[in-house]
């Protein structure tokens, strides 16, 4: 998934679920999106975090 696709998907998911979403880079270099509460990987792999409650 490209960064633009991941960002659009993460923003949509955050707005729908009203939870913080993390975009991270997997070991093979691909990007993925997951709710922040479910992310248990390395913090260094996080590319961006979207919080729907942030000002």
């Amino acid at each position: 998934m490209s960064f633009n696709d991941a960002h659009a998907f993460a923003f949509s998911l955050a707005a729908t679920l009203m939870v913080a979403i993390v975009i991270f880079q997997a070991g093979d270099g691909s990007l993925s999106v997951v709710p922040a509460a479910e992310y248990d990987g390395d913090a260094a792999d996080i590319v961006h975090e979207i919080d729907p409650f942030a000002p």
Side-chain angles (χ1 to χ4, degrees):
M1 176 180 315
S2 71
F3 178 75
N4 288 337
D5 290 341
H7 192 270
F9 179 59
F11 185 79
S12 174
L13 196 59
T16 302
L17 299 177
M18 294 305 289
V19 296
I21 302 294
V22 170
I23 301 172
F24 67 96
Q25 188 167 13
D28 63 356
S30 64
L31 295 174
S32 190
V33 175
V34 68
E38 295 180 18
Y39 181 71
D40 61 355
D42 189 7
D45 293 334
I46 295 175
V47 176
H48 190 69
E49 185 171 349
I50 298 174
D51 185 355
F53 299 107

